[in-house]
Amino acid sequence: MGRAPRAAAVLELLRFCLVQANFAPHFFDNGAGSTNGNMALFSLPEDTPVGSHVYTLNGTDPDGDPVSYHISFDPSTRSIFSVDLNLGNITLVEELDREREDEIEAIISISDGLNLVAEKVTILVTDANDEAPRFTQEPYVVLVPEDTPTGSSLFKVHAVDRDTGSGGSVTYFLQSLHPTKFAVDRHSGVLRLQAGATLDYEKIQTHFITVVAKDGGGRLRGAPVVFSATTTVTVHVEDVQDTPPVFVGTPYYGYVYEDTVPGSEVLTVVAMDGDQGRPNRIVYSLMNGSGGAFEINETSGAILVLQSPAQLHREAYELHVQVTEVSSAGSPAAQAMVPVTIRIVDLNNHPPTFYGESGPQNRFELSMYEHPPQGEILRGLKITVNDSDQGANAKFNLRLVGPGGIFRVVPQTVLNEAQVTIIVENSAAIDFEKSKVLTFKLLAIEVNTPEKFSSTADIVIQLLDTNDNVPKFTSHYYVARIPENAPGGSNVVAVTAVDPDTGPWGEVKYSIYGTGADLFLIHPSTGLIYTQPWANLDAEATARYNFYVKAEDMEGRYSLAEVFVTLLDVNDHYPQFGKSIQEKTMVLGTPVKIEATDQDAEEPNNLVDYSITHAEPANVFDIDTHTGEIRLKNSILSLDALHNITPRGDRTWSLEVQAKDRGSPSFSTTALLKIDITDAETLSQDPMAAFLLQTKDNPMKAVGVLAGIMAVVVAITVLISTATFWRNKKSNKVLPVRRILRRRPSPAPRTIRVKWLKFRRTKTATKFMLTEEPPKKTHNNSSPGDPPPPKAPALPPPPRMAPDTVAQWTVPTVSGSLTPQKPQQSPKPQAIGSPVRSSMVSELKQKFEKKSIDKKAYF
C-alpha cells in the first residue's frame, strides 16, 4: 500500500516537470499601422466591404510547435470578424457602421495545443461619408405679417449630419428656378426676407421655399461623394389692414324700363375690404346725382328706383356710390367711390315682323327659270320687315338660312323697317335637275337686345326647267363583236345617252357618221346599231370598223361617242395550193415542202394541216402535219433501196396530198404532187446541173444569181476603167492602148453549165472586140505592109472652169479603144490629110504597138 502512493507521486512530478519545460506561444507586436501582428491600435473604415481580408494575426511558439489563431466576441454582441485557424487571416463578415458602433472589442488568442495565450483588443471604426444631412423638427410652417420689414429674419432651419470631419459639416442654400424674395444664411440656416423685398397678402398668400442642406463631402468606398437633403418651408403671409375697399364687377350700368314699378331694384353694387385676411365691415352710400329718384341700401348695396319711369325725364343718370370700411372699434376707416350709370329705356316687347302686300305674312312663294343671270333681283318677292320698338330695340339683322352661297339678302342690318331684296349670287347652283324646289328661311334677329327677339319667314322658289344640259352617253367608247357571216340587218350594239332635261328638251335623237359607218345603221330613238340590209361582212377584207355615234337634243346640243366593231372570223375559206399539180425534185436525204394558204383572218381557221391521202406504193414517203415537209421514210437510205420498193425502178412518183384547216367545220383541198428523186452524188458531178435542179421550183432564184454575177463583172470593169483614166490624166499625156482580143476555140459542150458559160463569155467578149479599118493609101509615112494605125479616141468635153481661170485642156489617156455597136462616122478628109493629125496618129501607133508587145495583153 505504501509503494502505490509513492509511484503516483513520482509520475505526477514527472508530468509537472514536462509541462513546466513547454513555453507558451505569443503574438508579434508590430505597432500601429501594421496589418499583421496582434491588432494593436488597429482601425478599420466603416465602408469596408463585407468579405474583405482586413488583418492577419501573427505569432510564434518558442518551442517551434505549430500555432492556431482564434477570435471571439462578447456573447451579447455580434460576430463581426472571422479568422483562419492556421493562417490567422481575419475577414469582415458584417457591415460596419461608425455612427452606431465606433469601437469593437474582441479577444484574440494563439495556441500551440498545450498553451493558450489570449489578449483583449479594441478595434477602432473610422468614419466614411456615408450619412446625408437630416433636417430636424420638420415640417417648417411660418406665419409672417405682410408688413414685415425687408431684411428681417423669419425662421431658422437646422440639419444634422452624423458623419465627422468635412462629411459632418452642413451648409444651406435655397433651390429655386425663379427669383425669390427670400435668402438663407449659409452656415446658420436662418431664413431672411431679402433687402428690398416686401410681402403682399393681396397678391400672394403663401410662399413655398425649398432649402437644401449639403455636407462638406468625403470619401465613400474610395470615391469622393457629397450628400444633401431638402426641405420645404411654408411661409403664410398674414394680412394686415393696409388696402382700401374694392368694388367688384365694375363698371356698373342699370336700366329702368317703361314698365318698372317704383321701389324696384335697379342693380346692386358690390364692394369688399381689400384686406381679405381680416376684413372690416363696409357701408354703402349715395353721394350725388340721384336727384331724389334713387336710393341705396347701405348694407347690401342695392340701388332702388323711387319714381315711376314716366316721372324720370332724363335718359341717363350718373350716380356716385361711396363705400366706407368700419373698423373693429366702430370708427370709419378706408373709403372708395365708383360711378353708376342708369339709363331709362323703352321696353323691348315687339319682335321683328314680316309683311306682304296684304299684311303680316310668314310664307312667300315664287316661280322662276333655272340659272338666272348673276346679280338678278327676285322681283316676284315683295317683302317688308318691321320692328315697332324704338332705338336699339328696333335694330336687327337679316339673313337667309338654307343652302349657302345661292342667294344673298339686302339689307343685312335694319333699323325699324326696310324693304327686303333677294339677289342671285350663284347661278350655277340654281339647277332644276338637282332640285326642283329651293326652300330658305328668312331670319330677322335683334342685335343689341338681351332678349334677342327674332322671327322667320319661309321663302319657297319653284324652279322651271330650261334646255341647259347636253345629252351624255353612258360610256365614251362602245365595243361590239359580231360574226362575219351575220346577215344584213343584224343587231350590233345599243348605245344609250341621257339628257337630264325634261319634256322635249330631254328627248335624244341618235345618228352615226365616220369612214367606218357605211355598213351600219342606227335607230334614231332607241340607239340600236345594226348592219345595213345589203351589208356583206368579211373579216378577211376588213376585220375592224370604228365610227362615231351622235346624241342630239331638239336644239342641237349633242355629244359624241366612239364605236368599235370587231368582226369575228368564220371558217369560210378552203386551203389553197399554188397549183393543182405540183412538181418537186427531191435530193435523197433532203425533204421537199408543199405549202397551202387559208385566207381566213384568225386562228385556228387559217391554220393548215397536211397529209398524204394516196400514194403508190404507200410506204415510201412521210409528211410533217404542220410544216408540209415530205421526206423519204427512214428505212430508205439510197436509190437502190428505193428501186427495190418500186418494181419499175421509177424516179418520179405521184402523190395525192391534202391541206385541211383547223376551223369548225373544217375545209380541205387536195393536189397532185410529182416528186423527182435523185441523189447528192449525181449532183456533185455537175454543179451547174445541181444548181438548175435546185432552182427548178424557184426560177426567180436562178435569175437573181445570174443578175448578181453580171453586176459583179460590170462593177469590176468600171473600177478598172476609172482607175486607168485617173492614172493617165495625172500623166498629162495621150497614151492609147490597143488591146488585141483573140478568140479561143471553144471546146465541145459537155454539160448545161459549160454551154451557159460559153454563151456568156462570147457575148461579153464581143463588147470589147476591136474593129480595125482597112488600110488607106492617104496616110503619110505608111507602107502597104504595115498595119493601119488605131483610131485616136475622141476628145472629152472641156471641163467647167471659173470664168477668170485660164487653163490648157490636156487629152487624158484612156485604157483602150472600145468599138460601139454602131460604127463611128469617118473623119473629114481635110482633117486626115493635115500634117499635125498624121504625126499624132503615127506617134500613137508606135507607142501603142510597143506597149502591146511589152504587156502581151489579150482577152
Side-chain angles (χ1 to χ4, degrees), residues 657-708:
V657 293
Q658 182 188 63
K660 183 178 181 181
D661 62 25
R662 300 182 187 178
S664 179
S666 178
F667 295 109
S668 62
T669 302
T670 59
L672 184 61
L673 176 63
K674 294 182 179 181
I675 300 178
D676 188 11
I677 302 177
T678 185
D679 58 357
E681 182 178 357
T682 302
L683 294 178
S684 63
Q685 295 175 1
D686 193 347
M688 179 54 68
F691 172 76
L692 294 176
L693 187 61
Q694 292 176 1
T695 59
K696 178 180 179 182
D697 297 330
N698 191 1
M700 294 305 297
K701 180 177 180 182
V703 174
V705 172
L706 293 176

Side-chain angles (χ1 to χ4, degrees), residues 198-261:
T198 59
L199 301 177
D200 190 347
Y201 176 86
E202 286 69 31
K203 293 182 179 179
I204 302 177
Q205 287 81 32
T206 304
H207 298 269
F208 297 97
I209 306 168
T210 301
V211 181
V212 179
K214 183 177 71 172
D215 63 17
R219 302 186 70 83
L220 178 64
R221 297 182 179 88
V225 293
V226 176
F227 289 104
S228 62
T230 60
T231 189
T232 300
V233 179
T234 303
V235 177
H236 293 293
V237 180
E238 185 179 10
D239 191 19
V240 296
Q241 287 295 329
D242 61 347
T243 306
V246 178
F247 284 95
V248 180
T250 59
Y252 292 111
Y253 294 95
Y255 299 92
V256 177
Y257 298 97
E258 58 182 342
D259 60 348
T260 302
V261 178

Side-chain angles (χ1 to χ4, degrees), residues 405-419:
I406 300 178
F407 300 98
R408 62 186 176 92
V409 62
V410 176
Q412 294 184 355
T413 302
V414 180
L415 183 62
N416 289 118
E417 183 176 304
Q419 186 76 27

